[in-house]
Amino acid sequence: MIKSNIDTIRANFPILHQEVNGKPLVYFDNAATTQKPKQVIEALNQYYLKDNANIHRAAHTLASRATDYFENTRRTIQAFINANEPEECIFTKGVTESINLVAQTWGRANLNAGDEVIVTTMEHHSNIVPWQMICDEKGAKLRVVPINQNGELIMEAYEEMLSANTKLVACVWVSNALGTINPVEKIINLAHQVGAKVLLDGAQACSHLNVDVQKLDCDFLAISSHKLYGPTGVGVLYGKREVLETMPPYHGGGEMIKEVTFEKTTYNDIPYKFEAGTPNIGDVIAFRYALDYLTVLGKENVADYELQLLNYFVNGVNEINKQTNDAIKLIGAAKSKVAVQSFVIKNMHPFDVGMMLDAKGIAVRTGHHCTQPLMQFFELEGTIRVSFALYNTFSEIDTLLQALTSIAKYANR
Ligand code: PLP
C-alpha cells in the first residue's frame, strides 16, 4: 500500500525534494526527527494567518476557534493512543518535559529513602537524568536492567530486581539507538505485581507501533510530536486519571489554578493543572494533522513497509561485508525491531563516515545518540545510525549502500 503510493506520499513532503551538496537529499535521520507533510505545514500557516489568539480565556471568536482546534488535537491524541478520556493527555514540550514532569511531581511526592526506580541500559538520557536527579534528592536508588549483546533486555534480571521497594519502572518502549522493541506488556505486568507504577518512553514507538494505553495498562506514556511527523516543541504526557489526580502541580502560573488569593491557591482539574502558561498553540493544532496523516496511511502498513526497507538495508550490508572482510559491524540485532539500525565501520570514526555520506547528500546520525551508558556497554564511542520512515525508498537505500561499499573498501584497504 505504501510502496505503490510512494510518489504521492513523497509529494506530501516538500523538504525531500532538494539537493544537498549537489546530490538529491536522502534523509535517513528520522529517529532524530521526522519530516513534516504539507498538511501539517499548511495547518500551522493557517493558524497564524487566520486563527491566532490565546486559548481558554476570552469570549471572542478567534479565541474560541483557537481553543476548539487546540482541544481537537487533545481528542485526536486520545483516540490515537486509546486513552480513556482526553483529560488524561497533557500537552508538554516533548518526551523530555513529560518525563521531567513525572519525576518532579509524582517522584517528589512518592519517592522516599530506600525506594527504587528501575530503568534499563538502553535508555535515552532523558529517561535517566530526571530519575537520577530526584533519586539523589530523595535518597532513592536507581537500578538498571542489563541487556545482552543483541541489545535485548535480560528479563530474568529484571524479574529478580523487582521488589516491594520498587516504586517506578521507567522504560524505553523502542530504543532510539538500536531499534529494539522491548516487551512492555510483560514489563508492566510484572511491575504492577509488586505495586510499582510504569512510565513508558514512547518517543520512538508511537510512529511505528500501534498504541493502546488501556490495553497496555501503563501508568504514564511520554510522546513527542516531532518524531511523529508533527511540529517540534510539542509533546504529550499520558497518565491514568487516578494517578494524575493525586500528583501535585508542576509549574505554577496562569491556567493551572481555580482560585488564587495571597493566602492560598486552589488548583485546576487535569489536564489544565499541568498546563501552566500559554502553550505552543499553533504547533499543537498542527500536530493533529500529523496524527491524521499517519492514521489514514495505517500504522501497520507503515511499519510493514519500513521493515521491508530495514531488511533490504541489512541484506545489502551483508553483501558488502562479503567483499570487504566484514568491514561493517551492525550494532543491535534484537529479534523484535523497528526500522532503526546502528553500525560501525572498522578503522573509521563514525563522524567521518557521517561527513562522507553527507557529501553525497545522505543524512544519517552519528555519535552516542544520547545513550552514553548504552555505548559504554558496547564499548563504543558512538555509532552511525540510519532510521527509515514512510517516505523513504529502496532506491535511496541503494544510494546509501553504494556509498557504504566505497567507504568499507577504503576502510579495509
Ligand atoms: N527518548 C527517546 C527514546 C528518544 O529517541 C528521544 C529523542 O531522540 C527522547 C527520549 C527525547 O525526546 P525529545 O527531545 O523530543 O524530548
Side-chain angles (χ1 to χ4, degrees):
M1 191 253 178
I2 305 286
K3 201 171 171 183
S4 53
N5 286 315
I6 195 71
D7 290 341
T8 318
I9 290 170
R10 286 179 67 81
N12 288 148
F13 291 84
I15 200 170
L16 299 176
H17 307 283
Q18 62 173 297
E19 292 199 340
V20 167
N21 295 322
K23 301 281 185 320
L25 168 66
V26 173
Y27 186 79
F28 286 152
D29 194 17
N30 296 290
T33 198
T34 47
Q35 299 303 347
K36 325 302 172 200
K38 61 181 177 212
Q39 289 82 343
V40 169
I41 300 164
E42 281 163 7
L44 193 56
N45 266 341
Q46 181 70 9
Y47 169 72
Y48 285 114
L49 289 171
K50 281 193 69 189
D51 307 318
N52 177 44
N54 211 331
I55 54 168
H56 295 142
R57 283 169 214 176
H60 66 82
T61 302
L62 292 194
S64 70
R65 220 192 274 159
T67 304
D68 282 352
Y69 295 161
F70 184 88
E71 291 301 330
N72 273 346
T73 302
R74 205 188 302 275
R75 283 188 286 278
T76 307
I77 189 74
Q78 175 209 353
F80 192 81
I81 63 173
N82 194 31
N84 194 32
E85 43 182 336
E87 290 76 12
E88 293 180 321
C89 301
I90 297 157
F91 287 116
T92 63
K93 283 193 297 198
V95 164
T96 304
E97 192 180 44
S98 296
I99 296 174
N100 276 281
L101 190 163
V102 179
Q104 291 300 321
T105 62
W106 183 90
R108 178 159 291 126
N110 290 282
L111 292 175
N112 293 302
D115 288 342
E116 294 182 355
V117 172
I118 297 181
V119 296
T120 79
T121 307
M122 64 179 91
E123 298 309 320
H124 189 279
H125 296 162
S126 62
N127 203 26
I128 300 173
V129 185
W131 302 115
Q132 271 174 336
M133 288 162 66
I134 195 71
C135 284
D136 279 354
E137 190 181 313
K138 293 297 203 159
K141 189 170 168 195
L142 192 67
R143 302 198 63 188
V144 184
V145 183
I147 59 171
N148 62 26
Q149 284 295 325
N150 285 338
E152 296 164 314
L153 294 179
I154 301 177
M155 288 299 283
E156 300 76 32
Y158 169 61
E159 279 193 63
E160 274 170 31
M161 226 173 250
L162 288 165
S163 76
N165 293 333
T166 314
K167 290 293 171 308
L168 181 85
V169 177
C171 174
V172 71
W173 188 344
V174 168
S175 158
N176 63 310
L178 305 174
T180 308
I181 303 174
N182 285 320
V184 288
E185 293 85 354
K186 193 165 179 201
I187 289 168
I188 294 164
N189 191 276
L190 288 167
H192 284 169
Q193 285 177 28
V194 296
K197 300 272 182 269
V198 180
L199 175 142
L200 292 182
D201 170 349
Q204 300 294 336
C206 295
S207 59
H208 304 282
L209 308 177
N210 269 328
V211 184
D212 183 337
V213 289
Q214 294 189 67
K215 194 157 158 239
L216 278 172
D217 198 29
C218 56
D219 301 282
F220 301 105
L221 172 69
I223 300 169
S224 277
S225 146
H226 74 100
K227 312 260 190 208
L228 268 167
Y229 307 95
T232 52
V234 175
V236 175
L237 171 69
Y238 158 80
K240 285 181 183 165
R241 174 179 276 277
E242 64 267 27
V243 184
L244 291 176
E245 280 183 339
T246 63
M247 285 159 47
Y250 183 36
H251 294 146
E255 193 60 30
M256 51 77 73
I257 52 90
K258 271 193 176 139
E259 197 181 352
V260 180
T261 65
F262 281 115
E263 289 69 42
K264 184 175 162 54
T265 292
T266 51
Y267 302 125
N268 211 338
D269 298 325
I270 64 163
Y272 309 112
K273 181 168 87 173
F274 297 106
E275 292 181 355
T278 302
N280 188 350
I281 305 167
D283 290 298
V284 167
I285 290 172
F287 179 32
R288 185 183 129 212
Y289 292 79
L291 296 169
D292 287 347
Y293 189 85
L294 206 45
T295 304
V296 168
L297 285 181
K299 276 221 236 153
E300 289 90 352
N301 298 327
V302 170
D304 181 61
Y305 177 69
E306 289 170 343
L307 283 180
Q308 287 178 40
L309 294 173
L310 178 69
N311 289 337
Y312 187 73
F313 173 69
V314 170
N315 290 339
V317 168
N318 291 339
E319 287 307 312
I320 297 174
N321 275 340
K322 283 184 198 156
Q323 305 163 36
T324 59
N325 205 13
D326 291 329
I328 303 180
K329 185 173 178 206
L330 298 175
I331 309 292
K335 283 183 208 76
S336 188
K337 274 189 71 150
V338 302
V340 170
Q341 185 64 58
S342 266
F343 58 94
V344 288
I345 303 183
K346 73 176 165 201
N347 305 323
M348 298 288 297
H349 193 282
F351 187 74
D352 293 336
V353 177
M355 296 295 285
M356 289 161 110
L357 293 175
D358 182 57
K360 294 183 183 299
I362 305 168
V364 301
R365 179 121 314 215
T366 62
H368 55 61
H369 317 296
C370 295
T371 56
Q372 283 181 354
L374 180 65
M375 295 297 124
Q376 285 150 19
F377 169 81
F378 283 110
E379 296 178 353
L380 293 169
E381 205 182 311
T383 70
I384 304 134
R385 180 189 70 188
V386 291
S387 46
F388 304 124
L390 55 87
Y391 40 66
N392 289 130
T393 66
F394 292 89
S395 100
E396 287 181 313
I397 295 182
D398 285 336
T399 307
L400 171 65
L401 290 170
Q402 215 173 11
L404 288 178
T405 305
S406 327
I407 298 171
K409 282 185 177 160
Y410 170 78
N412 192 47
R413 72 199 181 279

